[in-house]
Amino acid sequence: MGGGGRGGSRFPGQMGGMFGEEMFGSAFRGGEGASMNFQQPRKAAPIENRLPCSLEDLYKGSTKKMKISREIVDASGKTKTVEEILTINIKSGWKKGTKITFPEKGNESPNIIPADIVFIIDEKPHDVFTREGNDLIATQKISLVEALTGYTVHLTTLDGRSLTIPINSVIHPGYEEVVVREGMPIPKDPSRKGNLRIKFDIRFPTRLTSEQKAGIKRLLVP
């Protein structure tokens, strides 16, 4: 392209000097064009880890410390293994799938930007409660007699309080008792909470005597 290149200039008059050796020569000479092969460092793929949390942890908030081992390159260019403690502050109301990222805490190596380490919140199963969004679900097993005559629910909340919920209505299949603001904290505003929804698994008798059937008919038939 330059005026001094083989085959002459393709540009008339002064154009040949303007686009000659002064601007392009150093970039296109074989011995001086190594910069064209320079590779930008690439970022390693993120390293993801599950972080199981109890519902109590996610209700009240908690702090977890995770010990990791990683390879780093020291000032002399040698690789060595170091251990680090990563502190994860779990906020009230966080949900399964929430991600906590520690940038570039993966292994170091030439021409590689270390990977991000990502912890993904998972929920451990709970003996009493399951979670649906910001609501907590508790299922009570009751007899048919309790369903018809009344039942009192006794529960211990995730922060250790005792709840007593009397139910005077007839509990039919599909019945649900809702206790407002006794669910999970809402992450954007932990002062607000979802609801506690109490469901019922009614145990029906497997058999009845003739006398029992007659007695039920007397009681229930209008």
Side-chain angles (χ1 to χ4, degrees), residues 195-211:
N195 296 327
L196 169 62
R197 293 157 49 197
I198 304 171
K199 299 183 178 183
F200 297 91
D201 179 7
I202 303 169
R203 298 189 302 268
F204 283 77
T206 56
R207 56 183 300 179
L208 293 171
T209 65
S210 300
E211 292 79 7

Side-chain angles (χ1 to χ4, degrees), residues 138 140 153 155 165 175-177 179 196-200:
Q140 301 276 293
V153 178
L155 289 171
I165 305 112
Y175 180 91
E176 187 174 288
E177 184 78 9
V179 185
L196 169 62
R197 293 157 49 197
I198 304 171
K199 299 183 178 183
F200 297 91

Side-chain angles (χ1 to χ4, degrees), residues 15-74:
M15 295 292 284
M18 183 182 296
F19 291 92
E21 295 289 340
E22 293 85 356
M23 184 172 288
F24 291 102
S26 63
F28 285 89
R29 290 192 190 122
E32 297 176 19
S35 61
M36 300 295 290
N37 296 322
F38 175 76
Q39 293 183 347
Q40 292 288 339
R42 64 179 178 84
K43 180 71 177 275
I47 301 168
E48 296 187 341
N49 300 274
R50 288 174 58 254
L51 182 62
C53 299
S54 66
L55 279 180
E56 286 84 355
D57 289 338
L58 298 173
Y59 184 92
K60 296 180 288 185
S62 65
T63 298
K64 292 185 179 291
K65 296 184 181 293
M66 308 297 291
K67 186 176 182 180
I68 65 167
S69 295
R70 60 189 294 249
E71 294 181 354
I72 65 169
V73 179
D74 62 19

Side-chain angles (χ1 to χ4, degrees), residues 95 123 131-135 184:
K95 296 179 181 179
E123 292 178 4
R131 183 179 186 176
E132 288 186 8
N134 295 317
D135 291 347
M184 294 293 292

Side-chain angles (χ1 to χ4, degrees), residues 27-143:
F28 285 89
R29 290 192 190 122
E32 297 176 19
S35 61
M36 300 295 290
N37 296 322
F38 175 76
Q39 293 183 347
Q40 292 288 339
R42 64 179 178 84
K43 180 71 177 275
I47 301 168
E48 296 187 341
N49 300 274
R50 288 174 58 254
L51 182 62
C53 299
S54 66
L55 279 180
E56 286 84 355
D57 289 338
L58 298 173
Y59 184 92
K60 296 180 288 185
S62 65
T63 298
K64 292 185 179 291
K65 296 184 181 293
M66 308 297 291
K67 186 176 182 180
I68 65 167
S69 295
R70 60 189 294 249
E71 294 181 354
I72 65 169
V73 179
D74 62 19
S76 66
K78 294 182 179 179
T79 300
K80 64 178 182 179
T81 301
V82 297
E83 292 184 342
E84 292 186 36
I85 302 295
L86 303 181
T87 301
I88 303 170
N89 294 313
I90 297 169
K91 306 295 185 183
S92 296
W94 272 6
K95 296 179 181 179
K96 180 178 180 178
T98 300
K99 293 184 177 182
I100 309 99
T101 300
F102 292 86
E104 299 182 14
K105 285 296 184 180
N107 293 330
E108 296 180 358
S109 58
N111 293 322
I112 301 292
I113 299 173
D116 296 342
I117 293 182
V118 181
F119 292 95
I120 303 174
I121 297 293
D122 197 8
E123 292 178 4
K124 295 179 182 177
H126 195 273
D127 291 339
V128 176
F129 300 105
T130 57
R131 183 179 186 176
E132 288 186 8
N134 295 317
D135 291 347
L136 288 173
I137 312 296
T139 300
Q140 301 276 293
K141 292 184 177 181
I142 62 173
S143 67

